[in-house]
Amino acid sequence: MCTGFFGERGYEMKKNIDDLAIFGGSPAFHEKLHVGRPNLGDRKRLLERLNDMLDRKWLSNNGPYVQEFEQRVSDMVGVKHCIAMCNGTVALEIAIRSLELKGEVIVPSFTFVATAHALQWQEITPVFCDVDPKTHTLDPACIEKMITPRTSGIIGVHLWGRPCNIEALEEIAAAHKLKLLFDAAHGFGCSHKNRMIGSFGSAEVFSFHPTKFFNTCEGGAIVTDDDSLAEKIHLMKNFGFSGYDNVIYVGTNGKMNEFSALMGLTNLESLDTFIGVNRENYNSYSYGLRDLPGVKLIDYDHREKCNYQYILLEIDEAVTHVSRDQLVDILREENILARRYFYPGCHKMEPYRSYFPQAGLVLPVTETLVKRVISLPNGTAVGPNEIGKICQIIRETIEYGPEIKERLSDHVALAQVVKYFDRATESETPDWAEKMLPL
Ligand code: T4K
């Protein structure tokens, strides 16, 4: 037993390993700390706008708040067109369709499954390509190997808000006459070489889901500088209507409603505050986890604009002894609901797992990352106190890694025995259980 656990470092809550909630201690937090708690702007302004909307009785279909929101976003990103949508997934589907992608499209597997589904939904094959181990975005060196005569485009994902290797992707797309689209679901408020994300490729797609650093309740947008593409997208997101009774295109219902737009306008007014809080939180995590062997905190390029939304760790089990999954279990028991974004990788999800059972062979970096990455709480719902405690639990867990790992395997064995007895009709302890348990 190690007596110095937590107590010596100024936190009263844990004195030894037994005090970890996973071994029966009280959780470090009474309330659950979520990854992806929504950031909310000024409530008074929100309610004023809501009342205005109710008085006006204009709730959807290109209302005044949607128009104002689109103008604000396109000004901020520095593009000619922003077409607001009901969510990021539908925005991706419409962007893909408006660009006339077909056959095969190259995408990372290390992304939220919506990137792949938006293609498959339209019977376009997502061809999974590996990512760069440093940036976690498409590895240009791998893309060329995946191009076939059926390839029509590339979708780069600015994962965690860190830009893809945009110049390399542009070069490959131009050389092979492929369309280039970016899934910028994480990239709102971020820049690349002092140009805002949203202004690259043929078009880019944002998500404004509550788990994003900026939200419109549900929502998304396509941003582009291409006038004819924008016109097509406007038609597609509104059933193909070009004026009353005149349908000139096949379309769907991708419209953003007025409530989402007014929520967006209100949250835009607090954007700098949200970024400031995220940056402070990132610095607190950086300090709390400094020099911790086997634990790497995500790097952001501080010279660029950045939303600092994802507090991502890579856990090298060979050094930490405790695995990523064990760490997630430990934290969850403490009411820190860490997430394994984006486990297990799209290629391991259906239907892709059945379509491409061998895909993992060409995705060695993805396969490693999905086993290492852990996402921690961020945003206005946490501050330095919570982060201090979270870091301390991680630090001590890793410092006492071998001992905790051993205890956890006893724990698993105990759970197996309990399960066995639950099922067994006889009350005898099985031989294997007697050998495994320190009873
Ligand atoms: N491309 C990429 C790269 C994406 O990451 C996403 C979405 C998309 C495309 C598609 O955009 P959208 O169609 O979603 O606009 C979440 C989100 O559902 C998803 O939007 C997001 N990416 C993905 C990264 O995360 P889950 O399964 O993790 O969500 P959930 O419900 O577990 O929520 C996470 C945590 O947030 C929970 O612990 C509770 C908290 N939460 C969540 C909501 C919705 C709240 O506190 N309040 C809330 O209202 O997928």
Side-chain angles (χ1 to χ4, degrees), residues 46-72:
L46 181 81
L47 294 175
E48 278 167 13
R49 285 186 167 116
L50 181 59
N51 275 326
D52 183 40
M53 179 192 89
L54 295 175
D55 290 345
R56 210 184 309 183
K57 294 193 174 53
W58 196 280
L59 308 185
S60 187
N61 288 13
N62 203 27
Y65 280 135
V66 165
Q67 291 178 34
E68 189 183 342
F69 178 69
E70 290 180 336
Q71 189 59 54
R72 291 286 311 279

Side-chain angles (χ1 to χ4, degrees), residues 143-163:
I143 295 177
E144 303 231 62
K145 296 182 200 143
M146 319 303 282
I147 297 173
T148 74
R150 279 171 47 79
T151 309
S152 62
I154 301 170
I155 303 182
V157 181
H158 304 302
L159 207 68
W160 325 129
R162 296 192 301 187

Side-chain angles (χ1 to χ4, degrees), residues 34-38 87-89 92 111-112 114-115 157 183 185-186 207-212 218-219 310 339 341-342:
H34 297 270
V35 168
R37 213 73 174 134
N87 60 54
T89 305
L92 269 173
T111 177
F112 188 59
T115 321
V157 181
D183 176 340
H186 301 182
S207 163
F208 304 136
H209 184 264
T211 54
K212 302 291 175 277
E218 282 273 3
Y310 289 93
R339 296 292 296 260
Y341 286 151
F342 285 111

Side-chain angles (χ1 to χ4, degrees), residues 109 128 344-349 352-354 356 359-360 363 366-367:
S109 167
F128 296 119
C346 296
H347 68 289
K348 292 271 180 65
M349 295 175 171
Y352 316 110
R353 180 169 66 179
S354 299
F356 319 111
L363 302 167
T366 302
E367 294 252 304

